[in-house]
Amino acid sequence: MCPHCGTLAWGAVDLSGRGTVYSFAVLHHPQNPQFDYPVIAALVELDEGIRLVTNLVELLPDEVEIGLPVEVCFEPTADGMAVPVFRPRVLERRQ
Amino acid sequence: MSRPSFAGSTAIIGIGQTEFSKDAARSELQLACESITAALADAGLQPSDVDGLVSYTIDPVEETELVRSVGFPQINYSSRVPYGGGGAMGVLLHAASAVASGAAEVVVAYRAIRARSGATRFGGAKTTPSPTSGHSGTTAMQWCMPFGVLTPAAWMALNSTRYMHTFGVSSEDFGRAVVQLRAYASTNPAAWGFDRPITLDDHQASRWIAQPCIRMFDCCQETDGSVAVVVASGELARDTAQPPVLIAAAGGAGLFEQEIASDHYRPDLSVMEGSVALAKLLFGRFGIDRGDIDAAMIYDAFSPILLMQLEGLGFCERGEAKHFIADGNLGLDGALPCNTNGGLIGEGYIHGLNLVLEAVRQLRGTAVNQVVDPDAVLVSASRTGAILTRP
Ligand SMILES: [Zn+2]
């Protein structure tokens, strides 16, 4: 149920896929065989105001910083699905 | 709101524990039986005196097994507290409320854990729900798991990095807290860290678990063991074996969109808002002055959350915990001696409840690292907490 208006209805909303890094952690230990380490975990705040747990890709661990502008891309999972992960925005990457 | 009736009218009259180890080589049920037996002996009571039981929702020891094993003739009240370790001090709220309302006369609160040798190591990856309840409030963790954010350290690191960024806190700042905790543990024979003090260099040399905030030495111990406390009325406490320790305040605060360890959705993650709400409850509703607190036992599963709770509880301003600690205020001569047993980092991790035992020892005057004549000790596990006092 929506805690703001009480509705039980739901719908899908298109998001821009753009946001900024709110926080992050470079995970070293323990290591789960399903992931490549170090894992760059992050909280990304989308432009629409939603915060989500995700991974950062296409950059090195020491390049991560809070406030970094990022955009979504999708990574396949073992069961044939995909999850949203984020990479530095193209404009910023060209600089 | 008026002050709850249990405040000052209920007491902790017994404490008991097993050894804290990395491999207990016996079941959680047996560990619980041992700590409860020790707590009842400490209080000078028999199993037949007990009519209430309280634990955590994720404790694996079932009440029916415990009743059959310890030999409680009749249990009239039993409850469990949600929120994992954040609910640790909630067992005091439940026990005291039951006693003050008359629902029970003598309540045993317990926690038994094999966080090292059991099926799921505390620091290991969480991929299945805990044994005794479906989710244990871990619903939000499903949004972490596809991204390899599988452990308590990983969940809390996301908050901790934000805290460091907001206030310019460094790994050395966390290290100074850890050095103090390990110094306390080094003189506590019951502690894992007994006779194992560390330096700041040792801390800085310990390997990264989650960079840039959590090194190995910032983590609590994965511990096997059990602790128990016995709660009864202040009246009954006068006739028991030990000097009574009153429950002057106890409470818990859960906030909208707050999760447990994977608490990533509140507006500002650089402040531990559960602690802010808890402080308002304990110091406001119960009419206790923060300045009257002589020592604090604060849930230190990872060192960053110790600093964040010191600020959230109002013992220092936001962002000031690093200076408060560097100035030596957590030591026996400081403004707020803290986790004098070594904390969960130095003594062991019985999911926070061992901090209550240390608060009781301080107020009885039997702690290894004894504060001089404390009258009031605060215990806190972020969202739940209590203030214990001498009569
Ligand atoms: Zn709505």
Side-chain angles (χ1 to χ4, degrees):
Chain A
M1 185 166 76
C2 174
H4 302 291
C5 69
T7 183
L8 296 170
W10 64 277
V13 175
D14 285 332
L15 300 170
S16 67
R18 295 158 59 92
T20 55
V21 174
Y22 178 82
S23 191
F24 68 93
V26 181
L27 308 179
H28 295 272
H29 180 86
Q31 302 200 342
N32 182 295
Q34 311 241 18
F35 296 90
D36 295 323
Y37 288 83
V39 166
I40 306 177
L43 293 174
V44 165
E45 207 138 71
L46 297 179
D47 289 355
E48 292 82 359
I50 298 166
R51 192 184 296 156
L52 71 166
V53 179
T54 185
N55 293 130
L56 300 181
V57 298
E58 297 181 27
L59 81 176
L60 296 169
D62 62 9
E63 293 173 333
V64 185
E65 58 183 20
I66 286 175
L68 185 74
V70 291
E71 65 186 13
V72 75
C73 52
F74 291 88
E75 264 196 3
T77 60
D79 57 1
M81 308 289 279
V83 292
V85 298
F86 288 79
R87 62 189 176 200
R89 275 188 223 160
V90 176
L91 201 66
E92 283 78 13
R93 278 186 294 163
R94 279 185 189 148
Q95 284 172 354
Chain B
M1 266 185 95
S2 63
R3 216 167 61 117
S5 62
F6 65 76
S9 70
T10 54
I12 295 176
I13 62 170
I15 55 175
Q17 67 190 55
T18 64
E19 84 286 4
F20 304 142
S21 77
K22 297 293 183 186
D23 185 4
R26 52 206 196 275
S27 68
E28 289 94 341
L29 172 61
Q30 182 173 339
L31 293 167
C33 289
E34 292 177 26
S35 71
I36 290 169
T37 300
L40 291 175
D42 183 57
L45 298 180
Q46 301 297 319
S48 56
D49 296 316
V50 175
D51 62 352
L53 292 173
V54 180
S55 190
Y56 302 38
T57 52
I58 58 175
D59 192 279
V61 179
E62 299 285 2
E63 287 80 352
T64 49
E65 297 293 317
L66 199 54
V67 165
R68 180 186 293 129
S69 300
V70 178
F72 298 119
Q74 183 170 331
I75 295 298
N76 300 318
Y77 175 91
S78 55
S79 74
R80 288 185 177 235
V81 182
Y83 310 131
M89 310 316 169
V91 298
L92 296 181
L93 173 66
H94 283 220
S97 299
V99 168
S101 72
E105 283 187 6
V106 176
V107 178
V108 169
Y110 66 92
R111 180 76 175 102
I113 191 167
R114 287 193 300 148
R116 179 57 174 249
S117 72
T120 306
R121 283 178 60 168
F122 170 74
K126 308 293 186 291
T127 51
T128 54
S130 297
T132 51
S133 62
H135 294 283
S136 302
T138 56
T139 309
M141 291 172 190
Q142 70 181 300
W143 303 108
C144 295
M145 290 168 181
F147 306 101
V149 183
L150 303 171
T151 64
W155 299 322
M156 293 190 185
L158 292 170
N159 305 56
S160 304
T161 304
R162 184 73 195 186
Y163 171 73
M164 295 173 83
H165 170 80
T166 302
F167 299 114
V169 177
S170 69
S171 170
E172 287 89 344
D173 293 322
F174 298 141
R176 278 182 268 277
V178 175
V179 168
Q180 174 64 73
L181 297 175
R182 293 291 297 268
Y184 279 137
S186 72
T187 56
N188 172 9
W192 172 87
F194 178 58
D195 211 14
R196 295 180 196 176
I198 65 163
T199 64
L200 189 56
D201 285 343
D202 295 333
H203 174 272
Q204 288 296 296
S206 71
R207 65 173 160 154
W208 284 115
I209 303 299
Q211 205 173 349
C213 42
I214 298 177
R215 295 177 183 276
M216 189 175 76
F217 283 176
D218 292 303
C219 302
C220 65
Q221 297 309 312
E222 296 174 303
T223 307
D224 286 13
S226 176
V227 301
V229 303
V230 184
V231 174
S233 70
E235 216 165 299
L236 198 148
R238 283 198 288 272
D239 304 327
T240 52
Q242 301 290 345
V245 169
L246 299 181
I247 299 173
L255 303 170
F256 180 65
E257 288 193 329
Q258 185 185 25
E259 299 292 339
I260 303 179
S262 53
D263 183 25
H264 301 135
Y265 306 103
R266 293 285 298 177
D268 183 357
L269 297 188
S270 68
V271 57
M272 198 169 270
E273 291 179 289
S275 291
V276 175
L278 176 67
K280 214 171 150 189
L281 194 69
L282 295 181
F283 299 126
R285 186 184 298 177
F286 291 87
I288 295 170
D289 192 334
R290 188 183 282 100
D292 290 341
I293 302 298
D294 298 309
M297 307 301 154
I298 295 176
Y299 193 91
D300 56 325
F302 303 96
S303 63
I305 66 170
L306 172 58
L307 280 74
M308 294 175 77
Q309 285 174 89
L310 285 168
E311 294 171 16
L313 291 166
F315 288 113
C316 45
E317 297 296 317
R318 289 189 61 190
E320 293 297 315
K322 61 177 181 176
H323 300 304
F324 188 75
I325 291 166
D327 291 343
N329 283 306
L330 304 190
L332 285 180
D333 298 326
L336 188 74
C338 191
N339 296 11
T340 48
N341 59 343
L344 310 180
I345 286 174
E347 181 179 66
Y349 181 79
I350 311 299
H351 221 164
L353 198 55
N354 48 319
L355 296 175
V356 173
L357 276 68
E358 176 66 4
V360 170
R361 286 188 293 263
Q362 284 291 353
L363 290 161
R364 288 178 177 179
T366 60
V368 171
N369 300 304
Q370 182 64 47
V371 176
V372 180
D373 287 334
D375 290 315
V377 179
L378 178 140
V379 292
S380 152
S382 119
R383 65 201 294 163
T384 60
I387 296 170
L388 307 180
T389 60
R390 289 199 296 192

